[in-house]
């Protein structure tokens, strides 16, 4: 199978180091993961995330359909607002995590994981029978960039003053010179920022998207903006304690053990796929729970490594080096009795058990200094 | 991104991207090549062996980790480890900055140097080898 590419492929090839991610040739870094990570934490960075899935869901039955497909309360979602939500199977396992935006009464926009593009679309289509709804996938017609960091707002404001009034998880449509875009105040880094959807940018005609990318980099130049690859995207989301589908959550994980109970609305009026199974799970005590671990010794935890107390108690699902904390950090699942803050645990790295402890992980960093909640100025 | 890698001609290189430099006193330094450090990029952790350890050719003597990847270091020659570059523990980035100088990893007293050196590549052969890899 040939690799898929985004509009920015030539740029990535010339400026970055390419890797295969979910079948796409994407940059893992341009300058390096650490400087790119730091640009986003301290100023601003720009990511090409066109590999992600995007679809419009439209029609009189769209609201009822999405209420049935997703764990969140779509009927309560105001126009031009987004919701982080889950799509589950009948067993309550997570098919994907995604953001659903309501654009109008009967028009929605879904943004989901690159690795699940085909699966999600199939699942939506299979279940759409009986609903007055049309699903239109636009991943190859709408480029997607993510501008992230404390200086993201000032950067984008130079091109479009109105974006400053956009609140977290709001989405709006803007005209920037010749580009027709939707901007949402969302991201996957823990920082303030925007996810930008550049409308009418078919893959076969990449230059319009490329030109927008360059325009954003020019706008951010005074803030030291850096193009950022998937490496920094991963270290940033890990520090923010955000799940990566396929690592921290999958079809065998239920939302409660993943600590995503807040996005499951069991009390919503409409039934949804997985609701009955999740009602049963909600009654039971979870067998394992997602935790954050910070290592106290030098070493780098990675996916699949064992977590120990007196005995082996679980596995790391995401791990790595945290540039902000300058230490190894991890997320993983352990039985609830080991999930209390400061519980000593060890992570097995090759033949050694390295000391660490359970820490606050959503996010791992100090929120008064980093992240979108930080005090400005 | 295309790069010209530094490949000093006085060194010998292994297929696993280690280099060997034979010193005047007959001991040898071992490290990883400019190509290897660039592929791994941004090293953040190095696991080193203990001095005094006897190693065989192709035995794992340590591990280097970048933000993204883990890679074993193989000894390209047999011998006894005389010295270990302890500075790397706190500053693994020395390997990125100066792979053939301050980024050396271990010093070995070789056991079977001449025949084992013949198994390694000179800089020209190694250059061709990495061109084929990328």
């Amino acid at each position: 199978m040939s690799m898929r590419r985004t509009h920015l492929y030539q740029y990535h090839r010339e400026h970055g180091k390419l890797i295969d991610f979910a079948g796409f040739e994407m940059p893992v870094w341009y300058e390096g993961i650490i400087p790119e990570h730091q640009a986003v934490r301290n100023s601003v960075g720009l990511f090409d995330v066109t590999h992600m899935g995007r679809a419009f869901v439209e029609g009189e039955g769209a609201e009822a359909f999405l209420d049935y497909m997703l764990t969140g309360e779509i009927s309560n979602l105001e126009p031009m607002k987004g919701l982080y939500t889950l799509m589950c199977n009948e067993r309550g396992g997570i098919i994907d995590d995604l953001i659903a935006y309501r654009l109008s009464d009967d028009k929605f926009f879904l943004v989901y994981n690159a690795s699940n593009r085909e699966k999600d679309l199939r699942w939506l289509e299979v279940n759409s029978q009986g609903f007055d709804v049309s699903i239109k996938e636009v991943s190859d017609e709408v480029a997607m960039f993510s501008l992230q960091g404390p200086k993201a707002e000032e950067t984008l404001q130079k091109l479009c003053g109105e974006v400053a009034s956009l609140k977290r998880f709001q989405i709006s449509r803007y005209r920037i010179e010749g580009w027709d875009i939707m901007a949402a105040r969302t991201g996957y880094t823990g920082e303030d920022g925007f996810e930008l959807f550049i409308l009418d940018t078919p893959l076969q005609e990449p230059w319009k998207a490329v030109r927008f990318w360059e325009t954003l980099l020019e706008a951010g130049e005074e803030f030291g903006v850096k193009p950022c690859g998937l490496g920094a995207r991963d270290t940033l989301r890990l520090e923010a304690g955000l799940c990566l589908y396929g690592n921290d959550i999958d079809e065998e994980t239920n939302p409660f053990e993943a600590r995503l109970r807040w996005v499951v609305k069991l009390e919503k009026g409409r039934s949804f796929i997985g609701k009955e199974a999740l009602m049963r799970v909600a009654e039971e005590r979870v067998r394992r729970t997602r935790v954050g671990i910070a290592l106290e010794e030098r070493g780098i935890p990675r996916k699949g490594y064992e977590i120990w107390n007196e005995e082996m108690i679980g596995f790391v699902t995401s791990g790595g080096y945290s540039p902000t904390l300058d230490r190894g950090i991890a997320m993983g699942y352990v039985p609830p009795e080991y999930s209390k803050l400061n519980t000593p645990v060890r992570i097995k790295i090759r033949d050694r058990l390295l000391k660490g402890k359970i820490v606050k992980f959503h996010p791992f960093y100090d929120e008064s200094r980093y992240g979108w909640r930080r005090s400005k100025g | 991104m295309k790069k010209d890698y530094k490949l000093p001609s006085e060194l010998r290189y292994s297929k696993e991207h280690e280099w060997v430099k034979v010193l005047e006193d007959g001991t040898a330094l071992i490290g990883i090549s400019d190509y290897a450090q660039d592929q791994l990029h941004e090293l953040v952790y190095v696991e080193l062996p203990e001095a005094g350890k006897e190693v065989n050719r192709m035995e794992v003597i340590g591990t280097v980790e970048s933000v993204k990847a883990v890679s074993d270091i193989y000894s390209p020659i047999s011998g006894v480890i005389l010295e270990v570059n302890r500075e790397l523990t706190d500053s693994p980035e020395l390997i990125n900055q100066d792979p053939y100088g301050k980024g050396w990893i271990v010093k070995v007293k070789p056991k079977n140097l001449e025949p084992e050196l013949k198994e390694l590549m000179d800089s020209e052969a190694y250059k061709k080898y990495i061109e084929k890899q990328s």
Side-chain angles (χ1 to χ4, degrees):
Chain A
M1 201 184 87
S2 72
M3 296 281 284
R4 294 205 263 183
R5 296 169 176 179
T6 72
H7 310 73
L8 268 293
Y9 172 72
Q10 284 301 337
Y11 180 93
H12 298 331
R13 208 177 69 149
E14 279 166 37
H15 298 91
K17 160 108 177 150
L18 297 176
I19 51 154
D20 170 5
F21 182 83
F24 283 83
E25 271 182 287
M26 295 299 284
V28 59
W29 44 259
Y30 302 92
E31 181 187 335
I33 294 172
I34 295 170
E36 290 164 25
H37 179 107
Q38 278 157 350
V40 173
R41 280 273 174 265
N42 303 318
S43 186
V44 57
L46 180 64
F47 303 80
D48 175 24
V49 287
T50 300
H51 58 307
M52 294 190 75
R54 294 174 287 301
F56 289 106
V57 177
E58 248 179 296
E60 278 200 21
E63 180 191 282
F65 171 60
L66 291 177
D67 246 340
Y68 172 64
M69 297 305 295
L70 306 172
T71 62
E73 201 157 20
I74 299 301
S75 45
N76 260 358
L77 188 60
E78 291 165 35
M80 306 317 272
K81 279 217 75 173
L83 182 71
Y84 174 70
T85 187
L86 302 172
M87 192 151 71
C88 285
N89 59 29
E90 291 87 346
R91 295 178 288 113
I94 301 169
I95 287 188
D96 203 2
D97 64 336
L98 65 156
I99 296 180
Y101 297 96
R102 176 176 229 144
L103 302 178
S104 66
D105 278 354
D106 54 6
K107 187 169 183 179
F108 295 84
F109 185 52
L110 307 181
V111 181
Y112 42 95
N113 282 297
S115 53
N116 289 333
R117 267 169 67 161
E118 283 70 30
K119 180 180 82 169
D120 286 4
L121 206 58
R122 222 179 307 124
W123 182 248
L124 287 165
E125 270 161 4
V126 163
N127 288 289
S128 68
Q129 280 166 11
F131 290 94
D132 177 10
V133 68
S134 81
I135 301 160
K136 192 180 167 223
E137 210 232 349
V138 292
S139 311
D140 290 339
E141 281 105 69
V142 177
M144 178 177 172
F145 304 153
S146 184
L147 186 71
Q148 299 284 306
K151 293 288 181 193
E153 181 184 87
E154 276 181 76
T155 300
L156 196 55
Q157 251 186 309
K158 288 173 68 183
L159 302 172
C160 180
E162 302 147 71
V163 295
S165 61
L166 202 62
K167 297 203 171 61
R168 230 174 140 69
F169 273 85
Q170 270 186 337
I171 188 167
S172 193
R173 196 156 168 180
Y174 301 99
R175 188 106 207 152
I176 296 178
E177 296 170 34
W179 295 283
D180 187 4
I181 69 157
M182 290 196 296
R185 198 138 195 173
T186 49
Y188 193 44
T189 60
E191 296 297 332
D192 184 22
F194 302 86
E195 289 180 304
L196 305 166
F197 308 95
I198 306 97
L199 301 173
D200 191 26
T201 49
L203 260 184
Q204 302 85 334
E205 300 161 28
W207 51 87
K208 193 171 158 191
V210 172
R211 200 53 212 116
F212 190 61
W213 173 269
E214 290 166 351
T215 302
L216 287 166
L217 288 180
E218 283 158 27
E221 213 179 327
E222 63 175 292
F223 309 113
V225 66
K226 286 188 197 297
C228 299
L230 296 183
R233 188 168 161 81
D234 192 47
T235 52
L236 286 158
R237 71 91 198 167
L238 174 61
E239 281 187 353
L242 300 170
C243 288
L244 171 62
Y245 193 90
N247 277 36
D248 309 296
I249 49 174
D250 57 29
E251 292 189 30
E252 306 310 317
T253 329
N254 75 56
F256 302 118
E257 57 195 15
R259 294 210 188 169
L260 296 172
R261 178 187 263 274
W262 61 282
V263 299
V264 180
K265 295 288 179 235
L266 290 175
E267 64 282 7
K268 77 176 167 182
R270 290 187 173 123
S271 180
F272 62 90
I273 300 178
K275 184 177 181 181
E276 279 163 33
L278 289 172
M279 302 254 290
R280 282 197 300 276
V281 177
E283 300 287 300
E284 297 161 12
R285 194 167 167 273
V286 293
R287 285 170 297 123
R288 53 174 197 161
T289 187
R290 182 163 63 101
V291 292
I293 298 166
L295 280 187
E296 289 161 343
E297 294 183 81
R298 264 178 191 282
I300 301 170
R302 299 188 189 266
K303 182 184 175 182
Y305 288 5
E306 294 173 359
I307 304 170
W308 283 66
N309 187 276
E310 298 292 306
E311 55 195 328
M312 214 264 280
I313 55 171
F315 291 97
V316 169
T317 50
S318 282
Y321 170 73
S322 161
T324 305
L325 304 177
D326 186 26
R327 62 175 61 208
I329 58 171
M331 294 195 287
Y333 285 85
V334 299
E337 57 267 33
Y338 298 105
S339 67
K340 256 204 231 119
L341 289 186
N342 296 316
T343 304
V345 291
R346 288 167 183 264
I347 294 179
K348 192 173 180 192
I349 301 184
R350 291 176 283 279
D351 52 355
R352 299 201 298 149
L353 285 169
L354 295 187
K355 274 187 214 151
K357 62 179 184 191
I358 303 288
V359 294
K360 171 188 87 77
F361 70 104
H362 192 65
F364 279 93
Y365 48 76
D366 174 0
E367 277 182 287
S368 65
R369 294 177 63 199
Y370 305 102
W372 64 276
R373 284 197 176 91
R374 83 175 86 185
S375 42
K376 291 208 173 164
Chain B
M1 259 198 311
K2 279 198 178 136
K3 288 227 174 114
D4 278 328
Y5 297 106
K6 275 182 266 163
L7 304 171
S9 59
E10 70 272 23
L11 308 186
R12 290 293 174 271
Y13 301 86
S14 73
K15 284 183 177 166
E16 288 71 34
H17 308 288
E18 290 86 14
W19 55 260
V20 181
K21 181 182 191 176
V22 181
L23 304 176
E24 279 175 13
D25 62 2
T27 62
L29 289 177
I30 292 169
I32 67 169
S33 75
D34 190 27
Y35 171 80
Q37 73 74 21
D38 185 62
Q39 289 291 308
L40 289 160
H41 224 244
E42 302 171 284
L43 294 175
V44 287
Y45 180 73
V46 182
E47 209 167 271
L48 298 165
E50 295 296 325
K53 189 180 183 303
E54 212 168 304
V55 293
N56 292 316
R57 191 168 80 90
M58 287 310 296
E59 194 178 319
V60 175
I61 52 169
T63 309
V64 280
E65 295 197 43
S66 65
V67 181
K68 210 68 196 157
V70 186
S71 182
D72 285 330
I73 313 163
Y74 296 89
S75 181
I77 55 171
S78 320
V80 176
I81 294 176
L82 296 174
E83 217 179 307
V84 172
N85 185 359
R86 286 281 155 215
E87 268 189 70
L88 298 178
T89 308
D90 285 327
S91 309
E93 68 278 5
L94 288 174
I95 296 177
N96 294 121
Q97 291 160 3
D98 190 8
Y100 305 113
K102 287 185 175 149
W104 67 276
I105 295 170
V106 291
K107 190 189 226 183
V108 170
K109 182 172 190 274
K111 208 166 64 182
N112 193 18
L113 189 62
E114 285 313 316
E116 286 182 353
L117 276 184
K118 286 199 186 101
E119 301 284 320
L120 299 171
M121 290 173 269
D122 63 19
S123 58
E124 279 304 308
Y126 181 63
K127 187 169 181 232
K128 285 193 189 108
Y129 177 71
I130 57 179
E131 271 163 11
K132 252 189 273 169
Q133 297 229 316
S134 46

